[in-house]
Amino acid sequence: MPVIDIEVAMQHLRAEEDDRALVKAQLGAAEEQASQYMQRRFYADQAALDVALATVPAAITTTRARLDAALAAIDPLGQVDDRQGARDRATQAFADARAAVEMVARGIVINDAIQAACLLALGHLYANREDVVAGVSITELPMNSRWLLNPYRTGLGV
């Protein structure tokens, strides 16, 4: 469910009421894209962030327990290749689950820059509903949604 109010999105797009369902779906996609780019979830207010943060310890425990169970189930497999493949899949599933938990643990309350970035992405999704554009010159704007989100990115490495 989108964090940004649908009325703000509708006003931003100057969309018609008939497009409300489309705008809501695209707003969710724009928010997810921003969240993935920042490698962190964002929330409407501190109370929502606190609720999400309270789930982190249990989620970490659950992901570890799933990995342990998956690894224990590997031993009975007969072939070395089967065991290695199962181990690789279990390890990747654990890494994906931990990454999802880390996105929550690094949560942030939405601010004006994040909202503006989401609305810019939403505007692009709303205006460009096809994969291919014919007969139009396209230029990426220098101060785009990524520019607004860059200060809030995490997990970039060295």
Side-chain angles (χ1 to χ4, degrees):
M1 186 167 135
V3 173
I4 298 170
D5 184 55
I6 188 70
E7 295 306 324
V8 171
M10 295 290 288
Q11 183 180 10
H12 173 75
L13 297 173
R14 295 186 178 104
E16 300 293 326
E17 188 61 34
D18 293 346
D19 290 338
R20 182 174 288 272
L22 173 65
V23 170
K24 189 172 182 179
Q26 290 178 333
L27 179 58
E31 288 185 4
E32 180 62 22
Q33 181 275 331
S35 184
Q36 292 293 331
Y37 183 75
M38 294 186 302
Q39 296 182 5
R40 65 193 324 180
R41 295 285 175 210
F42 55 90
Y43 300 90
D45 53 33
Q46 187 63 46
L49 175 58
D50 291 343
V51 168
L53 290 175
T55 67
V56 170
I60 290 171
T61 301
T62 300
T63 59
R64 174 56 68 184
R66 286 184 183 153
L67 175 63
D68 292 344
L71 292 176
I74 292 171
D75 289 337
L77 296 175
Q79 297 293 324
V80 173
D81 290 344
D82 292 343
R83 286 196 308 267
Q84 187 58 48
R87 187 174 292 109
D88 291 345
R89 287 187 298 279
T91 304
Q92 185 60 52
F94 175 71
D96 293 345
R98 281 304 290 262
V101 171
E102 286 300 317
M103 286 181 67
V104 174
R106 295 181 187 132
I108 187 173
V109 174
I110 192 170
N111 59 37
D112 292 341
I114 295 170
Q115 179 169 313
C118 290
L119 292 174
L120 280 171
L122 172 64
H124 172 74
L125 291 171
Y126 186 76
N128 302 295
R129 300 179 197 187
E130 304 293 331
D131 279 343
V132 178
V133 179
V136 177
S137 176
I138 298 174
T139 303
E140 185 175 8
L141 299 175
M143 293 175 40
N144 59 22
S145 60
R146 287 175 291 185
W147 181 80
L148 290 165
L149 296 172
N150 273 337
Y152 306 103
R153 291 186 77 190
T154 62
L156 298 177
V158 177

